[in-house]
Amino acid sequence: MPIFSGSWRQHFFAGRPFPRLVLMSFTPTQAAILRAVADTFIPAVPGHEQEPNAAYWLRQGSEGLNLDQLTGMLAGQPMGVQQEFRQLLGLLASPALGLTWLGKLRPFMELTLPQREQLLQRWAGSPVPQLRKAFHSLRKLTMMLYYGGSVPVPDNPVWAALGYPGPQPDDQPVDTDKPIRPLQPTTDVQYDCDVLVIGSGAGGGVVAGELAAAGHAVLVLEKGPYCHGCDFTQREVDMLSKLYDGQAALTTQDGSLALLAGSCLGGGTTVNWAGAFRTPDYILQEWAREHHVPHFASPEFGRSLDAVSQAVSVNTSYERHNGQNQALWNGSRQLGQEVKRIPRNEKHLTSSEEHFRSLGFSPLGDRHGIKQGTLNTYLQQAFDHGARILPDTYVTRVTTAQGQATGAEAVHTTSSGQAVRVTVRARRVVVAGGAIQSPALLLRSGLRHPHLGRHLHLHPTVVVSGAYAQRMDPWFGPMMSVVNDTYTMLDGTNYGAKLETPPAHPGLMAMVLPWHSGVQHKQLMQQAAHLGNFIVLTRDRDGGRVRTDRQGQPRIDYSLSSYDRGHMLQGVRAAAEIHAAAGAHTVYLPHGTLPTLHVQNGAVQNPTVLDGLSKLKWQANRFGLYSAHQMSTCRMGGQRATHPVAPTGETYEVRNLFVADASAFPTCSGVNPMLTIMALAHFTAQHLKAGL
């Protein structure tokens, strides 16, 4: 992680916000506290010495806690988050810690293991929001690093005990030649172009490919790295840290909702789960009618959806589902509910076991090149038609003059960690950094529309897990291939929830599954190979907001409203009932108290647990909430007063400045948004072609 020198910083960033990426270092006391916390969440458990997995039970958290990886994850966070983490470590080192759990007035290191566990349990259920936030911050970091950062056997026994085989063998033939040759500046540089595209995902990649193919001079700046082939190691912590925004540790300000957003060449299309949903007609009609954007309901937009679907090879011709998708299919059909195969953007997929297994690593990048994201399609098209592409480049601001965009200023980080100043002059600027980074960039650039950054929609998501007698191996096969849409339009509205399946590798599973005690969580994780996981993906009506801090970095505020929570809980109940119908013997509901259903012959034996879901406390950090889709913070609409972006994609405030990503959605898309983003970018690109 590069560190900017003071003199260079003053030269380029004088008076301007910039990303202060500072590597945290831990004192010996802080390091000891972190190891003790890890040993409390994941303790050595005696009494299993005669069992085959005895070493799993005796291994404790500190043995798998890589503090260098923790440092790297924290370095990707805003300075305020880093300062808050230091304050948390200070609290754990103080005798005043006892006041937070009504226990001994001693620092954490002087407590016994049972006392430490009791402290964490009390923080988890505390009426004080900051203590619940602290509990989940420590829990999520510990679980991800221990289970997701593990190394294969025989070095440690964790993966073997879970039944997790880890990455595919390195000796399998994978093409490692990089077909895109990015720019590699080593000194300060200026570029001139017709169109500057900031971001390379579903929006930016399509715009770049369309405009370069039309003969325009295109430059693409991407904040993240360029990875291809064997660069995708399939190692969970390594790839999450490398390919995702904020080192995959991005959260809302209150810590209650974890966000996953791609930050690499290809953006979200490089790391998503390959679900390629067309925007539902009722959503397009809603956008056209309520936000005065008639083209969403036009044949032209339909043709853009068709064009991008063809370009990225959307199909349903794959041969088989993995265990958890098959359970969603079987259970739904058993209950008389309609299920569908999810269209996927894949090509050259064979019936081989190697390819089937590799699909399970899709969220960590596709080393086989099967997934047809923008990396393999539109960006390749752009490069083949002369576009210049520069990854590892952070755009500090868009430049303007006389009310129109003129280019941008950015920082490129070389492979050796050197910071290079990049200045761009462009006739048009297209912002496509995603619904978190795009509004932050526009705010850093001086735009002040009152709705810029507002209306953040997230598809808030919870996980409902079922334990089955048979192995589910949820880490293999397509991450999502089945969808149940029975609950998408609840109470006579366009709002509700979709039921799908998530990625399921040990780090993410350990982070999602509730923790009551060290023994309980180890028992739960030992079932990993037999767990099937459904997600309840809620179309949220009530949104949040993205602001910027003093360094110009995004601050994300979001609270799940009671209205959206009601729909989410209907989806939770439905997912639990489908697990039961599919043959699960135990169902774990997504609340910190871990409500558990016991099932015999497809019938729930304790239905009062389901009936009592709405009576539980659902405040922030009392349950795990996640989002892989961020939308609507630069929303498009025909009314300038309430929409920052016009129907053409151009901002109302600044001419020749366009937005072409999910931040331009008028509201939540209600489906996994990749194809909708691509279609909107394709439609916007046609307007740009006509004006250049």
Side-chain angles (χ1 to χ4, degrees):
M1 187 71 64
I3 302 175
F4 300 119
S5 68
S7 59
W8 188 89
R9 188 187 113 194
Q10 292 167 7
H11 167 68
F12 184 45
F13 287 111
R16 302 171 196 156
F18 72 103
R20 296 181 63 189
L21 302 180
V22 180
L23 285 174
M24 285 185 65
S25 59
F26 299 117
T27 66
T29 297
Q30 290 171 333
I33 289 172
L34 288 167
R35 294 188 183 99
V37 167
D39 289 344
T40 309
F41 278 117
I42 307 168
V45 181
H48 299 269
E49 289 76 9
Q50 304 306 314
E51 298 179 10
N53 293 322
Y56 166 77
W57 289 102
L58 290 175
R59 196 168 195 261
Q60 55 189 355
S62 60
E63 296 177 69
L65 183 67
N66 186 322
L67 290 182
D68 289 337
Q69 289 180 327
L70 176 57
T71 295
M73 294 175 76
L74 291 172
Q77 308 309 307
M79 291 300 296
V81 174
Q82 295 189 31
Q83 181 61 32
E84 195 173 276
F85 195 78
R86 290 190 184 95
Q87 292 171 349
L88 173 57
L89 293 179
L91 174 63
L92 290 168
S94 168
L97 177 67
L99 299 175
T100 68
W101 66 291
L102 302 179
K104 301 281 188 180
L105 291 175
R106 295 175 182 172
F108 194 80
M109 294 296 295
E110 294 182 15
L111 298 175
T112 65
L113 181 59
Q115 288 170 339
R116 294 173 184 175
E117 184 171 77
Q118 188 178 16
L119 180 151
L120 293 176
Q121 290 166 341
R122 289 188 178 174
W123 278 16
S126 173
V128 180
Q130 292 87 345
L131 294 179
R132 298 199 304 272
K133 177 182 179 180
F135 166 79
H136 282 289
S137 295
L138 294 169
R139 181 187 65 83
K140 289 175 182 178
L141 285 170
T142 299
M143 295 303 174
M144 173 56 73
L145 290 171
Y146 181 82
Y147 287 100
S150 292
V151 295
V153 292
D155 299 279
N156 77 62
V158 175
W159 284 357
L162 305 187
Y164 179 65
Q168 294 174 291
D170 290 332
D171 58 358
Q172 292 180 346
V174 178
D175 180 15
T176 58
D177 293 334
K178 292 187 174 182
I180 294 173
R181 294 183 297 280
L183 298 170
Q184 295 180 322
T186 57
T187 59
D188 293 355
V189 64
Q190 177 178 300
Y191 298 110
D192 295 276
C193 59
D194 293 331
V195 182
L196 168 63
V197 180
I198 301 169
S200 62
V206 171
V207 170
E210 285 288 310
L211 295 180
H216 300 292
V218 174
L219 172 65
V220 179
L221 300 183
E222 165 58 50
K223 183 163 70 79
Y226 173 27
C227 297
H228 173 77
C230 283
D231 293 336
F232 300 117
T233 65
Q234 300 183 341
R235 296 188 56 78
E236 199 172 2
V237 168
D238 294 346
M239 290 293 95
L240 288 172
S241 297
K242 189 170 188 176
L243 303 177
Y244 287 79
D245 202 4
Q247 314 284 319
L250 198 64
T251 69
T252 52
Q253 283 292 295
D254 65 3
S256 66
L257 196 151
L259 299 98
L260 292 174
S263 185
C264 54
L265 198 63
T269 72
T270 297
V271 297
N272 70 11
W273 314 344
F277 292 83
R278 288 181 76 97
T279 327
D281 288 341
Y282 69 89
I283 299 291
L284 294 175
Q285 292 162 7
E286 175 189 303
W287 289 354
R289 180 182 65 254
E290 297 183 10
H291 295 270
H292 307 282
V293 192
H295 68 65
F296 281 120
S298 70
E300 290 79 10
F301 191 77
R303 286 193 284 273
S304 285
L305 277 166
D306 292 338
V308 297
S309 296
Q310 182 176 3
V312 300
S313 303
V314 175
N315 70 90
T316 56
S317 61
Y318 49 90
E319 294 186 1
R320 61 196 261 219
H321 305 299
N322 69 3
Q324 57 188 15
N325 278 280
Q326 192 64 55
L328 179 56
W329 181 280
N330 293 346
S332 298
R333 294 289 294 270
Q334 183 71 22
L335 295 175
Q337 298 174 9
E338 182 182 6
V339 279
K340 303 171 186 173
R341 293 170 71 91
I342 296 175
R344 297 173 58 81
N345 58 312
E346 294 168 338
K347 192 176 182 180
H348 307 308
L349 178 64
T350 71
S351 59
S352 71
E353 187 67 17
E354 176 190 352
H355 273 191
F356 175 77
R357 291 187 170 209
S358 75
L359 296 179
F361 294 91
S362 184
L364 309 178
D366 176 14
R367 68 194 301 185
H368 294 274
I370 295 169
K371 182 165 56 177
Q372 299 301 294
T374 58
L375 187 61
N376 295 329
T377 56
Y378 281 102
L379 287 172
Q380 187 66 54
Q381 174 178 293
F383 176 77
D384 292 343
H385 285 84
R388 292 166 292 174
I389 298 174
L390 183 58
D392 297 304
T393 303
Y394 176 86
V395 179
T396 58
R397 70 174 185 130
V398 174
T399 55
T400 61
Q402 282 93 44
Q404 66 181 27
T406 59
E409 294 174 344
V411 179
H412 170 69
T413 304
T414 68
S415 58
S416 63
Q418 176 188 358
V420 174
R421 173 181 178 173
V422 177
T423 305
V424 182
R425 296 190 304 189
R427 296 169 60 195
R428 304 286 188 275
V429 177
V430 179
V431 174
I436 303 302
Q437 295 295 340
S438 285
L441 171 59
L442 295 179
L443 289 167
R444 289 198 302 271
S445 304
L447 277 73
R448 291 295 178 262
H449 193 286
H451 286 260
L452 182 59
R454 294 182 181 269
H455 315 290
L456 172 66
H457 293 290
L458 295 177
H459 280 155
T461 298
V462 292
V463 181
V464 180
S465 300
Y468 291 77
Q470 72 274 21
R471 283 185 68 107
M472 302 297 280
D473 290 330
W475 34 75
F476 289 148
M479 289 290 92
M480 54 184 304
S481 59
V482 173
V483 60
N484 181 322
D485 282 335
T486 304
Y487 305 92
T488 54
M489 302 174 73
L490 294 171
D491 308 318
T493 73
N494 286 352
Y495 295 92
K498 298 175 80 71
L499 305 182
E500 301 172 352
T501 62
H505 291 271
L508 286 172
M509 290 179 74
M511 190 174 73
V512 167
L513 290 170
W515 181 94
H516 274 182
S517 70
V519 173
Q520 165 268 329
H521 197 270
K522 273 196 168 183
Q523 290 171 336
L524 200 53
M525 283 302 296
Q526 204 175 24
Q527 301 180 60
H530 292 260
L531 290 180
N533 308 282
F534 300 160
I535 57 173
V536 179
L537 188 149
T538 307
R539 185 185 184 221
D540 50 342
R541 183 193 70 178
D542 305 316
R545 185 175 183 180
V546 174
R547 297 180 176 89
T548 52
D549 63 16
R550 293 179 181 177
Q551 287 77 40
Q553 296 304 290
R555 295 175 62 248
I556 307 162
D557 291 304
Y558 186 94
S559 296
L560 187 68
S561 71
S562 58
Y563 177 88
D564 294 324
R565 183 175 67 244
H567 288 167
M568 180 193 77
L569 291 180
Q570 289 187 60
V572 168
R573 184 180 189 112
E577 291 171 342
I578 292 169
H579 269 308
H585 57 76
T586 310
V587 180
Y588 302 107
L589 302 177
H591 189 272
T593 60
L594 195 60
T596 302
L597 303 179
H598 304 288
V599 185
Q600 290 183 6
N601 300 319
V604 175
Q605 300 301 296
N606 51 338
T608 55
V609 173
L610 275 180
D611 297 336
L613 270 180
S614 62
K615 298 180 179 65
L616 296 175
K617 295 178 181 178
W618 292 96
Q619 296 102 322
N621 287 308
R622 291 191 184 275
F623 66 107
L625 195 59
Y626 303 88
S627 167
H629 309 146
Q630 301 88 39
M631 300 159 278
S632 307
T633 48
C634 308
R635 65 178 186 173
M636 174 182 289
Q639 295 179 323
R640 178 178 183 141
T642 54
H643 297 75
V645 173
T648 60
E650 190 174 25
T651 66
Y652 281 112
E653 284 186 82
V654 178
R655 298 188 306 279
N656 297 335
L657 175 60
F658 292 78
V659 177
D661 58 22
S663 71
F665 288 4
T667 63
C668 184
S669 64
V671 295
N672 301 58
M674 178 187 70
L675 212 61
T676 306
I677 301 169
M678 298 182 87
L680 180 57
H682 182 276
F683 189 91
T684 301
Q686 311 318 306
H687 174 79
L688 281 162
K689 289 178 191 177
L692 282 166

